[in-house]
Amino acid sequence: MTAHGTVSSKRPSMAIREDRLWQRHVEMAKLGATAKGGVNRQALSAEDIAARRLLASWAGARGFTVTTDPIGNVFVRRAGSEADAEPVMTGSHMDSQPTGGRFDGIYGVLAGFEALEALEDAGIATRRPVEVVAWMNEEGSRFPVGAMGSAVYAGRLALDKALAVADPKGVTVASALAETLAALPLPGVKLGGKVAAYVEAHIEQGPRLEAEGRTIGVVTAIQGSRRYAVEVVGEEAHAGTTPRAARKDALSSAVGIVTALEKLMDDPTDTVRFTVGRFEVFPGSPNTVPGRVYFTIDFRHPEIAVLDERGGRIAAVAAAHARGCAVSVTPLTDVPPCVFAPRIIDLVRDSAARLGLPHMDMPSGAGHDAMHIATLCPAGMIFVPCLRGISHNEAESATPADLAAGARVLADVLGALADR
Ligand code: GLV
Ligand code: MN
Ligand code: MN
């Protein structure tokens, strides 16, 4: 290894291996594989445990240490020459949407791991430790608070609040996490460890890089997002006998509310993002007037003023369309827009340029764990293209060459940050 203090002419990108990185994606895609070629690997499920086990086995084989914290984030660390120096971190998530793709999240973990292996293979010693993190429950599809592990790590979500969140079957994060740790015991570390810098690689999940023929997205910002749970309570009644005037039909009311909210969110510039992604009708019987509806709202915009103004009107619009039912709107998450650190943005751009990779600056429409870690340290992100921008879909696709290109940029960025 190069002694610390000498300036190495080696760059870690030289040791990135496209075949190895691709093979690791193939192995991970087997865990939770779906018939349509995607994955269903939801947070703290048996499939997620299998992914944790596989990552830990690869880490062990390279002599990296593996630990976990009280919210179940997993850390893979390559030591630095100064053991106590704050680590440079990279990573993303291994959980997926229920009908997710093979790259969302796992790419950031595997690109980070490939960067660690490249540092090792090239014999490059860094001053700081370099750590790959698999953040727990980024998707929020099983436990409905997204980017949960990174939010707790950053102190933006209280640990006890996160542990109490339950999935639709009533299983809490606390009990699923206890099962996960029983199945794969790992040494524990405390929350709140300091971080020198954080850089996350991810597929773009949108169509811009492909359309513009660029390989690397230099991510400048992430738009803000808010999630809400809406419950509409009416009265169950017989479908054959109950006249219209006597009904309190929770579904009719909920449909009216969603239509009114779509009007509230109407935006000629198409910048507002408004989605009702879960809609549940109870008791769900063909011949009973629905007594209760639960639905979720995902609302995003780059400007906090718009989030405040339109978000602030959701409850009133819902109440105005209640049609005799009781309506409650509960805010679940509120993540402000995030602007990344200029020095990380510059480093990503310079590294892509030095590698001769076509690149462009761009904001992120999707949320990422980086938006929380950016409150702790200088942070940034690297995007690579995915086919037609398709994501949160089993058809998600990316090329081995593009994935490796992103890992090269990441490795050089991490190498540079770890020597500062
Ligand atoms: C992440 O998956 C998001 O919802 O943006
Ligand atoms: Mn993701
Ligand atoms: Mn996702």
Side-chain angles (χ1 to χ4, degrees):
M1 282 199 181
T2 315
H4 169 61
T6 62
V7 177
S8 170
S9 59
K10 285 187 200 166
R11 274 193 267 126
S13 56
M14 296 188 301
I16 292 288
R17 279 181 39 197
E18 180 181 317
D19 57 335
R20 178 170 61 188
L21 178 60
W22 182 253
Q23 195 50 39
R24 294 218 191 281
H25 280 87
V26 169
E27 292 300 316
M28 279 289 181
K30 291 178 187 165
L31 308 175
T34 60
K36 287 189 186 161
V39 292
N40 177 7
R41 194 169 54 232
Q42 295 186 57
L44 306 179
S45 62
E47 295 78 19
D48 187 22
I49 294 171
R52 288 159 176 258
R53 186 172 284 120
L54 186 56
L55 179 68
S57 77
W58 290 336
R62 295 298 314 233
F64 304 144
T65 54
V66 185
T67 55
T68 190
D69 69 8
I71 192 61
N73 298 313
V74 176
F75 304 86
V76 175
R77 173 182 282 230
R78 180 177 185 260
S81 57
E82 277 179 31
D84 294 339
E86 292 169 7
V88 170
M89 267 189 188
T90 184
S92 194
H93 57 100
M94 306 206 289
D95 68 316
S96 80
Q97 291 285 314
T99 52
R102 291 172 296 149
F103 303 97
D104 176 1
I106 193 68
Y107 169 58
V109 174
L110 296 181
F113 192 77
E114 180 61 33
L116 249 59
E117 293 206 276
L119 286 165
E120 194 72 8
D121 291 345
I124 298 173
T126 57
R127 183 170 82 80
R128 297 181 182 280
V130 182
E131 238 172 54
V132 181
V133 192
W135 300 108
M136 200 281 288
N137 185 33
E138 192 276 346
E139 295 291 6
S141 34
R142 177 179 178 194
F143 301 105
V145 176
M148 182 184 265
S150 52
V152 171
Y153 191 90
R156 282 181 136 184
L157 173 63
L159 176 63
D160 55 350
K161 240 178 132 180
L163 291 172
V165 173
D167 72 7
K169 290 187 180 142
V171 179
T172 60
V173 170
S175 84
L177 188 53
E179 257 182 55
T180 301
L181 294 177
L184 179 69
L186 291 172
V189 287
K190 284 197 209 133
L191 276 173
K194 293 248 178 356
V195 187
Y198 179 77
V199 185
E200 176 169 349
H202 207 282
I203 57 165
E204 181 200 345
Q205 305 182 278
R208 289 187 59 197
L209 290 173
E210 187 183 70
E212 307 215 16
R214 315 289 170 105
T215 310
I216 299 295
V218 180
V219 186
T220 53
I222 298 183
Q223 68 178 341
S225 69
R226 295 186 182 184
R227 275 195 205 176
Y228 305 83
V230 182
E231 190 173 52
V232 183
V233 179
E235 190 173 52
E236 291 174 17
H238 196 291
T241 60
T242 317
R244 241 170 63 196
R247 292 183 182 209
K248 286 186 190 163
D249 184 331
L251 177 61
S252 296
S253 163
V255 167
I257 290 170
V258 172
T259 305
L261 289 174
E262 280 186 330
K263 207 154 164 237
L264 169 70
M265 298 296 175
D266 186 45
D267 171 15
T269 70
D270 195 20
T271 311
V272 167
R273 298 282 174 260
F274 172 80
T275 306
V276 174
R278 181 172 291 168
F279 197 95
E280 293 167 353
V281 183
F282 301 94
S285 167
N287 50 352
T288 297
V289 174
R292 187 165 76 87
V293 167
Y294 169 92
F295 67 92
T296 56
I297 295 172
D298 179 305
F299 165 44
R300 311 189 195 201
H301 197 277
E303 291 164 36
I304 203 142
V306 176
L307 292 166
D308 282 346
E309 199 273 321
R310 299 203 195 189
R313 284 162 62 193
I314 288 176
V317 168
H321 292 79
R323 296 197 205 177
C325 295
V327 182
S328 64
V329 177
T330 309
L332 295 177
T333 54
D334 176 357
V335 184
C338 153
V339 178
F340 288 128
R343 75 177 179 90
I344 306 284
I345 295 172
D346 291 347
L347 188 57
V348 170
R349 194 188 302 108
D350 293 349
S351 302
R354 206 174 313 118
L355 288 163
L357 294 165
H359 56 88
M360 63 189 275
D361 286 13
M362 61 191 302
S364 173
H368 298 286
D369 295 299
M371 69 201 174
H372 293 313
I373 308 309
T375 63
L376 299 177
C377 64
M381 288 190 75
I382 299 165
F383 278 172
V384 295
C386 57
L387 185 71
R388 290 189 287 129
I390 295 170
S391 188
H392 284 193
N393 186 314
E394 290 157 282
E396 201 176 73
S397 178
T399 68
D402 287 344
L403 298 174
R408 285 190 189 98
V409 176
L410 178 67
D412 284 352
V413 167
L414 294 175
L417 290 170
D419 269 336
R420 284 185 185 170

